[in-house]
Amino acid sequence: MSPRSRSVNEELRRRSRERLLQAAVELVSERGYESTTLGDIADRAGSARGLVSYYFPGKRQLVQSAVHRLMHRTLEEALEREPASGDGRERMARAIDAVLGLAREQPVLMRQHMAGILQPEGFVQCPDQQRLAQLLGETVARFGSADPAADYPLLRALLMGAVYAAVVPGVPMPVPTLRAELFERYGLDWESGVPPDTEVPGGTSDTDLSRFFATGRQPADPSGQQSGPRSEDRSDRLDGQSK
């Protein structure tokens, strides 16, 4: 049996990592951070437990990366949904509603995220966090900011503060109240974006988040070989042990 090509092995490893990210989001949402172990995440992902430490230094880094993926893809989906809009004010409204929507629909996950970034280590610098920052920066620029480099951190701070206020245990603030404050701050019309009680296909209330994680079937090898899920896990395990 001829070995798989390098490109196929890379794709298998990428999808294995994607499964771990998706499993982390699902389990922390269901059980909370403290009740979710790395072993639980590996089991849900159908991966060897040793692979978690191969891809991520620890649980905090894995969960932060997973939440950044969810935030990045949620924001991207909101900005690009139909009807498409190049209007800077509409895009700012969509961005605010996307982030507040996550606070409303995924409070356990977002509460843990806020707690995680307040640790001394701060943000996990991963590609999804960088893409999230890029999308927010582009939103500020399209809104018409004269100084996006200065205005992006302010938008980020305002959104983080709103998320914290929405998920703080015991005394959460209503999302519509927080939305009204942000919309007033940026001079946005209430009917822009996704007003409260508006249904949006594929919005954050959809409990199936698999669309944000590329975990489909692996591609066929050019040699004609195609392995099933268990073979994929064995390959990943061997790759992890050899590096």
Side-chain angles (χ1 to χ4, degrees):
M1 181 180 295
S2 59
R4 287 192 295 257
S5 68
R6 180 174 181 176
S7 63
V8 169
N9 281 330
E10 289 176 351
E11 178 65 8
L12 296 180
R13 287 193 289 271
R14 185 185 69 80
R15 295 192 182 198
S16 178
R17 186 178 183 276
E18 292 282 308
R19 290 198 304 273
L20 291 170
L21 291 171
Q22 182 177 343
V25 163
E26 293 173 349
L27 286 171
V28 173
S29 296
E30 295 168 10
R31 307 178 185 178
Y33 182 79
E34 296 299 333
S35 298
T36 298
T37 68
L38 290 177
D40 294 333
I41 294 171
D43 290 345
R44 173 69 66 91
S47 298
R49 297 192 179 194
L51 278 178
V52 181
S53 57
Y54 174 60
Y55 291 116
F56 302 97
K59 185 169 74 168
R60 189 184 74 86
Q61 290 84 353
L62 168 54
V63 172
Q64 265 208 51
S65 294
V67 177
H68 282 141
R69 164 62 61 83
L70 179 60
M71 295 180 71
H72 147 217
R73 291 290 177 83
T74 297
L75 177 57
E76 187 173 61
E77 185 177 80
L79 293 174
E80 301 306 324
R81 74 168 182 271
E82 297 295 336
S85 176
D87 179 71
R89 294 168 62 83
E90 170 64 19
R91 293 178 73 83
M92 177 65 78
R94 291 186 183 191
I96 292 171
D97 284 335
V99 175
L100 290 181
L102 283 170
R104 181 183 62 248
E105 304 295 344
Q106 303 287 343
V108 174
L109 196 63
M110 297 307 291
R111 186 178 302 125
Q112 169 52 42
H113 182 61
M114 296 304 298
I117 63 178
L118 290 174
Q119 297 300 310
E121 297 87 351
F123 278 115
V124 169
Q125 299 295 318
C126 63
D128 284 295
Q129 185 272 328
Q130 294 167 359
R131 179 57 178 154
L132 175 64
Q134 180 183 1
L135 287 171
L136 288 175
E138 291 171 355
T139 298
V140 168
R142 290 199 186 191
F143 183 67
S145 168
D147 188 0
D151 290 339
Y152 156 67
L154 177 59
L155 173 62
R156 181 184 63 196
L158 290 169
L159 290 173
M160 289 172 62
V163 169
Y164 177 83
V167 302
V168 64
V171 287
M173 288 190 66
V175 167
T177 301
L178 297 165
R179 182 183 194 265
E181 185 70 20
L182 288 169
F183 270 44
E184 181 178 358
R185 167 67 175 76
Y186 287 99
L188 303 173
D189 297 330
W190 183 258
E191 296 305 316
S192 299
V194 185
D197 302 322
T198 300
E199 292 293 331
V200 178
T204 56
S205 61
D206 187 348
T207 56
D208 181 6
L209 302 175
S210 61
R211 68 188 185 281
F212 296 133
F213 303 91
T215 57
R217 289 183 61 81
Q218 63 269 31
D221 190 289
S223 67
Q225 177 180 345
Q226 184 172 0
S227 301
R230 291 189 178 277
S231 296
E232 178 180 342
D233 288 342
R234 285 198 298 271
S235 173
D236 288 339
R237 181 162 58 249
L238 292 172
D239 288 335
Q241 291 172 346
S242 64
K243 295 188 177 184

